[in-house]
Every structure is written in structure tokens, then in C-alpha cells.
Amino acid sequence: MKFSRSVFLSVSQVAWLTGMSEANVCRAVRVGTLPVVRLRGRVLVPACAVAELTDSRNGGESQ
């Protein structure tokens, strides 16, 4: 999945999209599985990182 401009998602949005709990998303951020950008006190996850995470969880099936 490619993006023409940077798109960032909140932890709760990542949890909803991936079916993970917010605690598991925070854990993935803490251990470095998901990269984050901190902007004005918010933790934001790049959408491309979420796409890579879901692709790897699905066995690498991308179109």
C-alpha cells in the first residue's frame, strides 16, 4: 500500500483497524514493532506501518 502523502492514525484507530486491543497496540509501540511519531503530546502511527503489520499478520498477502 502506497500513500501520496503522510497519513497518521491514533492508537485507538490502529486498534480498531487491526482488531487488536489498545493495550496491545501500545505494547507494540513500546517494543518497537510499530513506529510512532509524537506530535504535540499525541502518539501517532504512520498508516503505512499499519498496512505492513496487517500484511505480515495475513501471511504477506498483498495486492
Side-chain angles (χ1 to χ4, degrees):
M1 179 180 276
K2 295 184 180 182
F3 294 96
S4 60
R5 59 186 197 138
S6 297
V7 177
F8 297 97
L9 302 169
S10 68
V11 169
S12 61
Q13 290 173 323
V14 173
W16 184 81
L17 286 170
T18 61
M20 297 168 60
S21 69
E22 288 187 29
N24 282 341
V25 174
C26 289
R27 186 176 299 118
V29 168
R30 191 171 53 250
V31 300
T33 305
L34 278 176
V36 295
V37 173
R38 296 183 192 276
L39 182 65
R40 296 182 184 171
R42 295 183 67 196
V43 175
L44 301 172
V45 180
C48 57
V50 176
E52 290 175 13
L53 176 70
T54 55
D55 284 346
S56 68
R57 291 178 76 193
N58 292 332
E61 300 172 13
S62 62
Q63 296 179 353

